[in-house]
Amino acid sequence: MLASVLRCEHHGDVSTAGRSPNSDHDSWVRRDAAVVWHGFTQMAAYADNAPVIVDRAEGRELVDVDGRRYLDAISSLWVTTLGHRVPELDRALHDQIDRVAHSTLLGNGNRVVIEFAEALAARVPVDDPHVLFASDGAAAVEQALKIAFQYWANLGVVGRTRYLALGQAYHGDTVGSLSVGAGGFGTDLFDQLRFPVARTPGYDDPRWADRAVAALAEHAAELAAVVLEPLVQGAAGMLVADPADVGRVVEAARELDVLVICDEVATGFGRTGTLFASEQCGVRPDLLCLGKGLTAGYLAQSATVADGRVYEAFLGPDLSERTFYHGHSYSGNALAAAVGLRHLELLEEWDVLANVRARAEQLRGLLAERIAGMVPVGAVRQQGLMAGVELTPPREDLRWGRRVCAAAVARGVLLRPLGDVVVLMPPLTSTDAEIDRIVSVLGEAIAEGATVA
Ligand SMILES: *Cc1c(COP(=O)(O)O)cnc(C)c1O
């Protein structure tokens, strides 16, 4: 299933139906396709798949170059939390730009970054937290992998150089994060570049935790760390784990002295109904990877949070080899920090988690009532405001995922599937009416797009 994921989810089949002949859209698509290489996108087909060309946004809606509006039901690929153009966040950005946009964190500090790190440290489920910023989620994972590796070297422990990772896992697209990822996504080509890992099944296997615990016991002496996405394997199509199972695996790792890396790039910042999914699992990782919602979807910034035990293993004489010689140019960007800091405040001021839980319950009810029973639907999976509706096409070549999403886009709701799983990731501030609209449009889109003819 994973092989076709992510790459083939432009809004196929529905063309620019209904656009006036002199619309700006076609000319923007031509200019776009001439110079922009879109990720996870077959560029030979890009222009024919009716891409939405965004001009601006208002609240939770994107507005395209022709003035058409689309409810952003995928939160701009899972990054947007409170919506677009949030006045409070915009103001934080303006205020910071009047001070400084960026200054390096390599060997020097920045006031707003200190404030942001303090605010994060007070909220992350990590003991004695220390925050190393990066830019993308993949880079946060990459940092965590290297930190775990060097941790054992710094302690003088020989042989703890491997990782335990799960089937179905997705941790990003750099070579290191790809190595702990489970493959699929057309990445098998890079198998020769991947470093080998110990791998046990993903959350689609009801015995995944037993298998992981057994593998931990078997390989402990050679494991630097276990890496997992607590509670939800998002890119796998929203596979949901029992929180107690996650807790059990982490507990086993603890007992065997294997470091625990939680990748909360997708689940962090309220998505699953708590600020971090680790909290629901009763888990406190040694290394926590954050990205996507870290800046509310405003700026490219990520972070790896290390606990005190890991951090202290890197302390030593100046310029000594215990130092972590790793750092990204835009690590701790001041604009990102200013927005991230205000975002953390707003999550509390607006009691966003209460809205996530209420809207998640509403979504669960509506999906059960209107979607789960539809013939093309095989399964509905959800945790908080992350949901996946798995379609079951009778043949592989029907591209139901992308046809259904295209039908939804034509109705003004922006969706994007993972293969034949339609992903619903509405912003955390979505209203009752917006959730209702997303599910109604999804029902119509399934009826239109999930057909054999
Ligand atoms: C999206 C994602 C990543 C990669 O983040 P990028 O910012 O796209 O590099 C890593 N891990 C998980 C769980 C993700 O969902």
Side-chain angles (χ1 to χ4, degrees):
M1 180 205 99
L2 280 183
S4 61
V5 188
L6 272 185
R7 284 191 312 168
C8 20
E9 55 315 66
H10 358 202
H11 324 301
D13 298 346
V14 168
S15 63
T16 50
R19 283 184 201 278
S20 61
N22 58 355
S23 98
D24 283 339
H25 178 265
D26 293 355
S27 124
W28 280 110
V29 170
R30 261 194 308 280
R31 288 169 61 179
D32 183 355
V35 288
V36 182
W37 189 343
H38 293 259
F40 280 111
T41 301
Q42 174 45 255
M43 291 310 298
Y46 173 72
D48 296 329
N49 280 326
V52 172
I53 308 293
V54 174
D55 176 58
R56 61 188 188 281
E58 278 170 33
R60 285 165 295 276
E61 285 191 327
L62 298 168
V63 184
D64 80 3
V65 288
D66 286 340
R68 290 170 172 244
R69 309 175 79 88
Y70 306 85
L71 190 57
D72 188 357
I74 50 167
S75 295
S76 286
L77 231 289
W78 318 0
V79 301
T80 305
T81 55
L82 307 181
H84 300 280
R85 285 179 63 200
V86 177
E88 290 83 349
L89 296 179
D90 293 1
R91 200 164 311 125
L93 195 50
H94 286 155
D95 289 350
Q96 183 57 39
I97 215 161
D98 285 339
R99 290 175 176 272
V100 63
H102 181 71
S103 70
T104 184
L105 286 209
L106 276 55
N108 293 290
N110 184 299
R111 173 183 169 155
V112 72
V113 178
I114 296 165
E115 292 172 337
F116 182 35
E118 285 173 348
L120 268 178
R123 290 165 176 85
V124 287
V126 175
D127 296 323
D128 186 16
H130 298 265
V131 186
L132 180 66
F133 290 100
S135 348
D136 290 288
V141 172
E142 203 84 29
Q143 291 186 155
L145 296 174
K146 286 179 67 182
I147 290 169
F149 188 95
Q150 188 175 340
Y151 168 80
W152 295 108
N154 282 3
L155 291 188
V157 175
V158 178
R160 283 202 181 246
T161 57
R162 295 181 76 202
Y163 304 87
L164 175 66
L166 301 185
Q168 308 282 350
Y170 178 75
H171 297 292
D173 296 326
T174 58
V175 173
S177 59
L178 206 59
S179 298
V180 284
F185 297 97
T187 61
D188 297 353
L189 172 70
F190 299 109
D191 280 353
Q192 275 177 291
L193 294 183
R194 288 186 152 114
F195 56 75
V197 302
R199 195 175 302 282
T200 53
Y203 299 162
D204 54 338
D205 183 333
R207 299 200 53 216
W208 76 270
D210 294 337
R211 303 282 300 278
V213 168
L216 280 165
E218 189 186 340
H219 300 292
E222 59 198 67
L223 289 178
V226 54
V227 51
L228 51 81
E229 298 156 83
L231 211 50
V232 188
Q233 291 186 311
M238 306 300 150
L239 301 176
V240 180
D242 179 342
D245 278 345
V246 178
R248 204 147 60 80
V249 171
V250 169
E251 188 58 32
R254 286 255 174 276
E255 276 167 22
L256 294 159
D257 214 18
V258 174
L259 293 179
V260 175
I261 302 173
C262 281
D263 178 353
E264 292 229 33
V265 172
T267 52
F269 300 96
R271 213 6 101 186
T272 67
T274 47
L275 196 55
F276 299 99
S278 295
E279 298 168 61
Q280 283 176 70
C281 306
V283 163
R284 298 182 74 79
D286 297 292
L287 291 155
L288 175 68
C289 304
L290 304 174
K292 292 196 168 109
L294 179 70
T295 63
Y298 268 53
L299 288 140
Q301 194 69 195
S302 63
T304 310
V305 185
D307 65 12
R309 163 201 182 187
V310 168
Y311 175 75
E312 273 159 32
F314 287 76
L315 302 180
D318 196 12
L319 301 177
S320 72
E321 57 201 27
R322 288 171 79 98
T323 312
F324 189 50
Y325 286 111
H326 177 115
H328 295 282
S329 304
Y330 282 93
S331 163
N333 177 260
L335 295 176
V339 173
L341 175 61
R342 192 72 187 102
H343 177 222
L344 285 175
E345 294 167 359
L346 291 176
L347 285 169
E348 276 165 31
E349 282 171 30
W350 295 353
D351 202 359
V352 172
L353 295 180
N355 190 61
V356 172
R357 291 190 281 263
R359 296 288 74 76
E361 267 323 294
Q362 180 198 358
L363 180 62
R364 190 179 302 282
L366 292 176
L367 289 173
E369 184 187 311
R370 300 190 205 157
I371 304 296
M374 293 182 82
V375 174
V377 174
V380 174
R381 294 181 291 268
Q382 184 192 344
Q383 177 65 51
L385 283 180
M386 317 174 74
V389 174
E390 182 160 349
L391 305 170
T392 51
R395 294 200 319 266
E396 276 226 347
D397 62 339
L398 294 171
R399 301 183 307 157
W400 274 8
R402 82 201 270 210
R403 284 165 59 198
V404 166
C405 289
V409 171
R411 288 167 171 78
V413 172
L414 187 64
L415 291 179
R416 175 184 165 97
L418 292 158
D420 282 321
V421 178
V422 177
V423 172
L424 305 179
M425 279 267 191
L428 309 184
T429 51
S430 295
T431 63
D432 188 307
E434 287 164 344
I435 296 294
D436 196 277
R437 176 161 170 234
I438 291 167
V439 178
S440 298
V441 164
L442 176 63
E444 292 167 25
I446 290 172
E448 180 184 311
T451 54
V452 177

